[in-house]
Structure formats: C-alpha cells, structure tokens
Amino acid sequence: MQTMSEPLLAPAADESETVPASKKKKVSLPSLGSTKFNFLFFKRLWKILRVFFPSVRSWTLGFFIIFLFIRASAEYNYYNTGLIPSKFYASLTSRDNSNFRESVYQSLIIVASACICKSAVDLMANIIYIRWRCLLTRHIQRLYFSNLNYYKLNVIEKIVDNPDQRITQDVERFCNDLATQILPKLILWPFIVGYYTYKTYNTMGFIGIVAIYGLFAVATVINKFLMGPVVALIVTQEKREGDFRFQHVEVRTNAESIAFSNGGSLEESKSKELMGKLFKTQLEVAHWSFPLNMSVDLFDYLSSIITYIVLGVIIFSGGYDTLSSSELSSQISEVSFFSLYLLNNFSTLVDQSNNVADLAGYAHRIGHFLEVLQALNKRQASSVCDSNDESNDDGNDNKENGIVSNEVTPVNIRESVIESDVAAQFEDVTVATPSGGDSSNLSILVEGLTFHFERGRNILISGPAGSGKSSILRVLKQLWTPLKGKAQIVLSDSESELMFLPQKPHLTIGSLADQVTYPERHKRDYIDTGELDSVLFENDIDEALRLAKLYSVKERLGGIHVVYDGKWSDYLSPGEMQKMVFARLLYHKPSFAILDEATSSLSEEDETYFYSLLQEMGITFLSIGHRSTIKKYHQLVLALTGKGQWTLGLVE
C-alpha cells in the first residue's frame, strides 16, 4: 500500500482565503427564555395560531366563523333562558293563567334550542381540537423530519428536551385546552361583557357597575401575581414528565442488555431519582396552585352575593318604591340575571387562570420547539449557500482522474478501473467531533481527507475504534458539518442509486413487507388501484428474503403482509436484523452501497456470501469493517491511523 503522510491533495491554496466551517457565523439556536405569562408567551402563541389560520381563505378560518355563529346562537338562547324566571314570577304573582301557559310553551322551546346549541358548540369545539392538533402536529413533523433535524436535536443539539413529548403530549394538551376549555368560554367574552354591562347599568345604575368591576379588578391583579410561578413550574413539570417516561422507554428498549448486565438495581435507582424530581415539581405546582385556586373560589363566592348586596342598597335607599310587589319580584329576578351573568363571565375569566397557566406552559414549550426547528432550517440553508460559494471558488484544480494527489506521487490506481460515474467525493475534508458550539473543545478525527467513491472501485475504511470511520459517513450524509472542506453525494438520484447499511438497523412498525421495502412507502395502495401487479411485488420481496436467507421468517409469521404486533428487534436475532438490511439492499438494487460494519453480527460464512452476492449484482460498495477476510472484496483501503492522519492505497 502506498503510504502518504501528507493529505492526498494538490498544493493547498492560501489558507487566508479559506474560511473553515467552524469560523463561519452560524445561525444561533434560540433558548427557552422566560417561561412566564409575558410578551414572549403571546409571541409564541401567535406563531402557533398562524399554523391554525395560515390565510384569510383557509378552511380552518371558515370553520371557525361557523363555530362563532353557533356560539353566538347559544349565547342568545342562554339570554332567553335567563329571562324565564322573571316571566314566571310576573305570571304567578299576578295569577295570570294565560300568561303562565304562554311562558311554559316559550320556555320549553327556548330550553330545547339552548340544549341543541350547547351540544353543537361542544361538538364543534372537539372537531376544532382534533383538526388543530392534526395541523400543528403535521407542521412540526414536517420541520422535524426535514434536513435531518430529528437527528440533530436528538444527537448533536441538546437544546430541546424530549422532542417526542412536545410533538405528542404537549401538542395534544395545548390544542385540547385551547379548543375545548378556553375558546368556547372566552371567544365571545368581550361582546358578552359589553352587552351585560349595558343592561346592568340600565337596571342597577353606576353603583352596580363599580361594585362588579372593582371586584373583578382586584381578583385579576391577585391572580396575575399568583399565576406567574405556576406557568414556570408547568414547563419544568412537563420536562420532568418527559425525562421520567424516557427512562422507562430506555429500559423497555434495552431490557435484555440490562438483564445480562445485572443493571436492574441501577436502572431502578435512576428511575427513583427521576421520579423524585418529578414528584417534587408536582408538589411545588400543587402548593402554588393552592393560593391561586383559593383566590378563584373566593371570587366565585363573592360574585354570588355582591348582586344582592347592591340590590339591597338600591331597595333600602328607595330605588324601587314605585313598583308593586309582583313588579318588584320580576324586576329583582331580571336585574339579578343581568348582574349575575356579568359576574359569571368575569368569574369564567378568573376560573380560566389554571387553564391559561397550563396553556402558557405548553405554548412556551411548543413555540420554542418551532423556533429551534426554524433556526436549524435557516442554518442548513446558510450552509448550503456557503457550500455553493466554496464549490464555485475551488474549481476542479485538485482533481486528477478522480484520484487526489499531492507532491507524493500516488499509485496509479486508475489504470485498472473502467471510466465510470462518481457516487460521492471528499475534497480536503477535516472531520471533528461536534462541539455544541464550543470551538475550544474540538477533537480532530480526520484531516484533509480527499478521495472519490466511483463505480467499480470498492473501498474499505479501516482503523482503530474512535479513529473516525463512522464519522466520515456522518459527514457524507450531512449529519455532521465538516470543520473544513466539502463532502457530498453527487449522484443525480441518490435515494435510489445509493443505499446506506448501518451496523444497527432500524426496523419500522408494520409487516415483513414493510421491513424489506423500507424506506419506500408501502405499495399496497398502488396494488389496490391496479397500478402495480401484486404478484410481481410479492415475488420481488420473496426473492429478496430468499437471497438474504430470511425466507423462514416469512414462514414463521404466516406471510409478508402480516403485521407483527410487537418490536421487530425482539422478534429477530441481531444476525437476522443485519440480514434484513441486506434484504432491503437486494430488493432496491441500488448501484452503490455504503456498509457501516453491516456484517459485524454475521458469521464469516454469511459475510463472505453477502459480499460475493454484491459483487455478482455489480453493486459498488464502500465498507467499514475490522475483519481481514473482507479486504479481498475491495480495491482500495482508506486506513485511519488516528490524530487526523490517514493513508490511501491499493489492497495488497
């Protein structure tokens, strides 16, 4: 093998003209910030509402207007229902039988109409909740699964805790609270309060307005003060819930490994620690909710008697002396309804303090999540622009027949290789471990790496553990950003022509057919419409299973379309899981494959079988592996020697 102590690269350009990736200004990721009922809450709430109502012509806005109409109709019926007692008082005290019968008929119609409208409001509120949750979840998932953001947030950037909880639980609770608890009660609140303020003023005068509004103002100030700590604690509580659940998900996922390692006691200790933190936060929420709930209840009880106190002042001061007894009873009933309904609407607003506190906590977590996802997309767009600028500046001066070179003359490998397409290329790439923004803590793995992955030239990447073998693939797949240089897949249709085979395969939820065809969407819909021959489809899967030595799995399950109700990683052995990845490769038949220790759980016999099969199929592959037996299937060896050094040469 030809050894090259310097990077395989033409004489480097002036370094002053090259700006390393680490030196370029990156789009910063926003922090969670203050988690109180403040301006930031309204800003994040507005960001979420724009997902629900993207434009004035959106169907969600039209549906919401219909909901407003039905809610207004229900309010009109509530108003008529509240006047029923005064009509009965008037007819009963005056002993008017005909008026009494008419009141009965009208009351039955009003009550029936009110019940229908109330049920319609509840129905539409639930539909809105479901639709909003669907819209918000899809919007977040679209951002989450774009530009590999799901990888960045779970592996590299730790600024968002428990993304899975925010997508599922937080979104569900936010939409449910807003659509079914807060919206139906508060959407017409300003108009209702304005109308009943007018009616109360006409019947009770200025003293009634002052008493009711004064009580509400005092309650609002007190509840605003008490609500702040609850909002912050709700955010912390949701984080603790996510951490506690994640611990048990990890135990479930790795149950066998934990059992073999006798790690049950340690995992129990960790679970208790997380449970203790969660319960401590929940107790703090309960303690801070006590004065808030007491304030809410006190206002409710005071609201029920303040009307009669004001009425007593008016009556005992001679306000209704001109009315007869029957007229006074009717007047008291009507006035009580107006003032109590006004107070009830104020009470409703105060009663929503806990719901609004919860909503604010969820809005902060979801809004921050959206901000981070959007910032990641901006960062990706910025890096693409920088990459394009570099490619325009670099030119092709460093290429020589698809093989890089410098002052040390490399072996002329190209003489034995047919002219072919390039699948991927590395141009003066320096790879370092992600530092989370701390450039002083960088660990250089590979420095100045330059080579091309071409059709007909199989490359083996070797080196000790931790030397950066898998890191090279992460950079190629754009999971990591190189410290310097450029790595890219240059195939016109990379998704169908190039396939990655990881050491630890992911087995998705679904049937055996779903495992083989992954990541292709299931073709059953095309089969049902007649656009795809089901026999040919199933024959392709059967052939892939047979070649991958997994046909027995189909026989055990009873067919390729049988959905396994459990975890595939528990059903298949580690060796069978790696064979499943080869089954996918055999099904999709790409031109190129990248194998990241994809045969580490297979026997040498199976390993030899699969490498020979790839050669027979004409698939060009780049492998990471430790066994010397696979070296014979490659033409080139890229050896990583540690501390950024590497060598490239022919297989001996």
Side-chain angles (χ1 to χ4, degrees):
M1 181 189 304
Q2 177 72 31
T3 301
M4 302 173 191
S5 58
E6 298 294 330
L8 296 182
L9 187 64
D14 185 359
E15 292 184 359
S16 62
E17 298 177 3
T18 304
V19 182
S22 62
K23 301 293 184 180
K24 294 175 182 176
K25 186 176 180 180
K26 300 174 71 174
V27 177
S28 60
L29 300 183
S31 62
L32 181 60
S34 174
T35 56
K36 295 183 178 181
F37 194 76
N38 50 19
F39 174 76
L40 183 60
F41 158 69
F42 287 103
K43 179 182 177 182
R44 287 171 171 168
L45 179 63
W46 175 249
K47 183 185 292 290
I48 297 172
L49 291 178
R50 289 181 62 185
V51 177
F52 299 153
F53 307 109
S55 69
V56 294
R57 296 183 178 181
S58 62
W59 69 267
T60 50
L61 182 59
F63 194 83
F64 187 72
I65 292 173
I66 296 174
F67 171 76
L68 287 178
F69 174 77
I70 296 177
R71 179 67 180 86
S73 300
E75 195 60 42
Y76 176 74
N77 281 282
Y78 298 158
Y79 170 78
N80 288 325
T81 302
L83 296 179
I84 289 176
S86 63
K87 295 180 180 179
F88 277 113
Y89 286 154
S91 60
L92 290 173
T93 54
S94 63
R95 300 179 185 276
D96 189 339
N97 186 33
S98 61
N99 190 27
F100 174 76
R101 290 188 178 188
E102 183 179 350
S103 297
V104 170
Y105 297 145
Q106 290 178 352
S107 300
L108 292 175
I109 295 173
I110 291 171
V111 169
S113 178
C115 291
I116 293 173
C117 287
K118 184 179 184 304
S119 298
V121 168
D122 293 340
L123 173 63
M124 295 200 68
N126 281 298
I127 293 175
I128 288 174
Y129 147 65
I130 295 170
R131 294 294 187 184
W132 280 0
R133 183 185 180 188
C134 183
L135 287 171
L136 185 55
T137 302
R138 285 178 177 174
H139 178 71
I140 294 175
Q141 287 185 158
R142 184 167 59 251
L143 295 173
Y144 186 61
F145 289 106
S146 65
N147 297 322
L148 301 169
N149 289 336
Y150 61 91
Y151 175 85
K152 297 170 185 175
L153 287 178
N154 286 291
V155 179
I156 300 176
E157 305 285 355
K158 298 294 185 179
I159 194 170
V160 174
D161 63 88
N162 304 302
D164 57 311
Q165 182 189 23
R166 301 199 187 199
I167 295 173
T168 55
Q169 181 174 300
D170 289 355
V171 167
E172 188 278 330
R173 291 181 178 178
F174 174 85
C175 294
N176 188 36
D177 284 355
L178 182 60
T180 65
Q181 301 297 323
I182 298 175
L183 184 64
K185 297 176 182 178
L186 300 184
I187 188 64
L188 295 178
W189 187 87
F191 307 102
I192 296 171
V193 168
Y195 176 76
Y196 282 98
T197 297
Y198 167 74
K199 299 294 288 186
T200 301
Y201 177 77
N202 284 344
T203 54
M204 297 181 69
F206 187 69
I207 185 174
I209 298 299
V210 171
I212 293 172
Y213 272 80
L215 182 62
F216 171 70
V218 172
T220 300
V221 172
I222 294 174
N223 288 342
K224 174 63 172 67
F225 172 74
L226 296 174
M227 192 165 43
V230 176
V231 174
L233 286 171
I234 289 294
V235 174
T236 304
Q237 177 181 279
E238 292 306 310
K239 180 182 183 303
R240 303 289 190 216
E241 288 276 9
D243 293 342
F244 183 54
R245 187 186 69 249
F246 181 74
Q247 164 66 10
H248 284 279
V249 170
E250 284 290 286
V251 171
R252 183 186 67 186
T253 304
N254 303 287
E256 185 174 302
S257 299
I258 295 171
F260 274 117
S261 304
N262 295 320
S265 298
L266 177 60
E267 297 302 329
E268 181 186 7
S269 175
K270 290 182 178 180
S271 299
K272 286 182 178 179
E273 180 182 353
L274 292 171
M275 181 181 65
K277 292 180 179 179
L278 170 60
F279 290 172
K280 180 182 178 181
T281 305
Q282 287 181 324
L283 284 174
E284 290 178 353
V285 172
H287 290 155
W288 276 100
S289 296
F290 171 73
L292 179 61
N293 292 331
M294 187 171 65
S295 173
V296 171
D297 293 337
L298 178 63
F299 178 75
D300 286 343
Y301 287 124
L302 288 176
S303 298
S304 63
I305 63 174
I306 192 69
T307 295
Y308 297 105
I309 294 175
V310 174
L311 277 173
V313 172
I314 295 174
I315 291 174
F316 294 130
S317 63
Y320 297 142
D321 287 349
T322 59
L323 300 178
S324 64
S325 297
S326 61
E327 290 173 336
L328 180 60
S329 298
S330 178
Q331 180 73 8
I332 291 174
S333 174
E334 186 174 309
V335 170
S336 299
F337 167 67
F338 291 146
S339 59
L340 285 174
Y341 203 75
L342 176 60
L343 281 165
N344 177 69
N345 277 277
F346 282 131
S347 298
T348 298
L349 186 62
V350 175
D351 290 344
Q352 292 298 316
S353 297
N354 281 328
N355 287 332
V356 171
D358 292 345
L359 184 79
Y362 300 136
H364 276 300
R365 287 173 58 81
I366 297 170
H368 174 238
F369 192 22
L370 287 171
E371 291 166 1
V372 171
L373 289 172
Q374 290 167 352
L376 286 173
N377 284 343
K378 288 182 181 178
R379 178 184 290 181
Q380 176 67 20
S382 175
S383 65
V384 169
C385 292
D386 292 340
S387 176
N388 291 338
D389 292 341
E390 289 177 5
S391 63
N392 292 334
D393 294 339
D394 290 345
N396 298 315
D397 294 338
N398 294 334
K399 297 181 183 178
E400 183 181 341
N401 296 326
I403 303 174
V404 294
S405 62
N406 64 355
E407 294 178 357
V408 180
T409 305
V411 177
N412 190 4
I413 307 169
R414 194 52 184 262
E415 291 179 355
S416 59
V417 179
I418 302 174
E419 190 75 28
S420 55
D421 297 332
V422 176
Q425 59 187 20
F426 288 78
E427 302 290 347
D428 194 22
V429 172
T430 296
V431 181
T433 56
S435 60
D438 183 9
S439 58
S440 64
N441 193 32
L442 291 174
S443 176
I444 303 297
L445 299 174
V446 183
E447 187 172 5
L449 180 63
T450 300
F451 75 94
H452 290 179
F453 177 36
E454 300 184 10
R455 190 185 306 275
R457 178 186 296 167
N458 301 327
I459 302 175
L460 174 64
I461 302 179
S462 64
S467 59
K469 300 186 297 298
S470 296
S471 301
I472 292 175
L473 303 188
R474 295 187 185 107
V475 169
L476 178 61
K477 191 61 177 174
Q478 297 184 349
L479 304 180
W480 289 9
T481 301
L483 194 65
K484 180 184 176 184
K486 182 178 180 181
Q488 64 177 345
I489 299 171
V490 295
L491 293 169
S492 57
D493 187 7
S494 59
E495 291 190 4
S496 63
E497 292 189 68
L498 175 63
M499 188 170 180
F500 283 78
L501 278 68
Q503 180 181 7
K504 185 179 179 181
H506 170 63
L507 302 178
T508 189
I509 297 172
S511 65
L512 182 59
D514 293 323
Q515 309 311 316
V516 176
T517 60
Y518 186 87
E520 183 181 77
R521 295 191 63 179
H522 206 292
K523 293 182 176 179
R524 188 172 294 166
D525 293 339
Y526 297 100
I527 294 173
D528 294 339
T529 58
E531 297 179 39
L532 185 68
D533 191 323
S534 61
V535 175
L536 291 176
F537 172 62
E538 293 180 2
N539 286 344
D540 289 342
I541 295 177
D542 285 346
E543 179 66 10
L545 290 171
R546 184 185 63 79
L547 291 174
K549 300 183 178 181
L550 287 176
Y551 201 80
S552 59
V553 176
K554 173 188 173 181
E555 295 174 342
R556 294 203 310 261
L557 284 171
I560 62 172
H561 298 301
V562 176
V563 176
Y564 177 61
D565 187 17
K567 293 176 60 180
W568 280 95
S569 57
D570 294 335
Y571 186 77
L572 301 176
S573 68
E576 286 177 323
M577 286 192 288
Q578 288 199 329
K579 288 180 181 179
M580 185 64 72
V581 177
F582 277 97
R584 293 172 181 172
L585 183 72
L586 296 169
Y587 171 80
H588 290 290
K589 300 181 178 67
S591 301
F592 298 88
I594 296 179
L595 287 65
D596 186 2
E597 299 190 44
T599 59
S600 59
S601 297
L602 300 178
S603 65
E604 289 190 10
E605 179 183 351
D606 284 336
E607 184 178 64
T608 299
Y609 167 75
F610 281 112
Y611 270 104
S612 299
L613 188 59
L614 295 184
Q615 285 187 326
E616 291 176 10
M617 296 177 64
I619 297 176
T620 303
F621 46 86
L622 182 151
S623 305
I624 293 177
H626 293 286
R627 293 176 182 170
S628 59
T629 53
I630 65 173
K631 187 178 292 186
K632 60 185 177 182
Y633 300 104
H634 302 80
Q635 286 78 45
L636 293 174
V637 174
L638 173 62
L640 308 183
T641 58
K643 297 182 179 180
Q645 299 301 309
W646 53 274
T647 61
L648 177 65
L650 290 170
V651 173
E652 295 178 351

